[in-house]
Amino acid sequence: AQSVTQLDSQVPVFEEAPVELRCNYSSSVSVYLFWYVQYPNQGLQLLLKYLSGSTLVKGINGFEAEFNKSQTSFHLRKPSVHISDTAEYFCAVSPSNFGNEKLTFGTGTRLTIIP
Amino acid sequence: NAGVTQTPKFRILKIGQSMTLQCTQDMNHNYMYWYRQDPGMGLKLIYYSVGAGITDKGEVPNGYNVSRSTTEDFPLRLELAAPSQTSVYFCASSYVGTDEKLFFGSGTQLSVL
């Protein structure tokens, strides 16, 4: 079984400042990694995913994440945040030889942008 | 483009009542899922379906039932509502079941009092 840890439950950031949301995972097999975003009163939307290949993954809205196998991390970054980035962000992991039914979500990080 | 549609958006139930949460998708996706989201917790999978007529349990299936008679619809049934089922419920779908992104509905906020 795999697990996901998002250590920061809340992250306040000033507008136009950079941000990093941390995600660490644990798994005994190779994994796929995902970041989803949930805007207020909406369902989750995929930001980006890592399946294989380049460890730096670029997603929508200027976000990117880097897969670090040795540190079992998949941190999400954005160089300059906007008010519209206020949302909850979920990291998720699934074993690469199973389907989405094995997808495990983290507890989420609430990103608040301060004007 | 409707995507995944869930109804109702809000519902209050009394203990012991039953209800059905509706979920419809218009993307011709084979895979559909029901999750619950509790405060401070990640999403937990309740049930999923890989196609019409085929369903299977997820991580937290107790107290729920599902059916999948068509590709489009995947209703979730609560037979005897309990306070522990107070949660936000999300339906999701995907075209294939592996490494494919999930499309989520906007959720149903359910309170059992």
Side-chain angles (χ1 to χ4, degrees):
Chain A
Q2 70 272 3
S3 65
V4 180
T5 301
Q6 292 181 250
L7 287 172
D8 305 307
S9 60
Q10 296 188 63
V11 174
V13 180
F14 285 103
E15 194 173 13
E16 299 184 6
V19 68
E20 178 180 83
L21 305 183
R22 297 181 293 167
C23 173
N24 287 89
Y25 70 92
S26 172
S27 177
S28 57
V29 299
S30 61
V31 296
Y32 296 148
L33 293 155
F34 306 81
W35 274 100
Y36 280 85
V37 59
Q38 184 179 27
Y39 298 107
N41 301 314
Q42 295 186 27
L44 281 70
Q45 304 173 35
L46 183 68
L47 267 180
L48 49 79
K49 62 182 179 181
Y50 171 80
L51 304 180
S52 64
S54 173
T55 57
L56 184 62
V57 180
K58 294 189 183 298
I60 61 171
N61 300 338
F63 283 93
E64 63 180 32
E66 185 158 21
F67 170 56
N68 188 319
K69 189 174 181 180
S70 62
Q71 297 188 8
T72 59
S73 67
F74 190 54
H75 300 334
L76 181 70
R77 302 186 185 98
K78 187 170 182 179
S80 175
V81 296
H82 303 283
I83 290 290
S84 59
D85 294 322
T86 295
E88 188 143 21
Y89 292 78
F90 292 91
C91 183
V93 61
S94 70
S96 59
N97 56 343
F98 283 92
N100 286 328
E101 73 277 7
K102 296 297 183 185
L103 191 63
T104 299
F105 286 87
T107 53
T109 297
R110 186 171 299 275
L111 177 62
T112 301
I113 308 303
I114 305 166
Chain B
N1 209 5
V4 179
T5 302
Q6 289 183 240
T7 56
K9 292 190 182 301
F10 304 94
R11 184 72 184 267
I12 298 175
L13 283 182
K14 294 182 180 178
I15 295 172
Q17 285 186 321
S18 62
M19 76 163 294
T20 299
L21 281 66
Q22 301 291 345
C23 176
T24 298
Q25 53 93 7
D26 63 358
M27 297 172 283
N28 201 32
H29 285 171
N30 293 318
Y31 292 73
M32 296 187 75
Y33 312 81
W34 274 106
Y35 290 91
R36 59 178 286 171
Q37 182 184 31
D38 299 317
M41 305 289 288
L43 278 70
K44 301 291 185 184
L45 183 64
I46 305 171
Y47 271 96
Y48 68 101
S49 169
V50 302
I54 306 170
T55 63
D56 207 349
K57 296 177 180 179
E59 184 180 357
V60 290
N62 291 344
Y64 307 94
N65 278 301
V66 294
S67 60
R68 184 100 180 268
S69 57
T70 66
T71 299
E72 294 78 18
D73 301 307
F74 190 41
L76 177 72
R77 179 83 176 164
L78 283 70
E79 291 294 350
L80 291 170
S84 61
Q85 294 177 304
T86 294
S87 188
V88 180
Y89 292 84
F90 288 100
C91 179
S93 71
S94 64
Y95 184 61
V96 294
T98 303
D99 74 42
E100 184 77 6
K101 74 174 181 180
L102 296 172
F103 290 80
F104 283 83
S106 56
T108 296
Q109 189 166 330
L110 176 67
S111 296
V112 182
L113 305 175

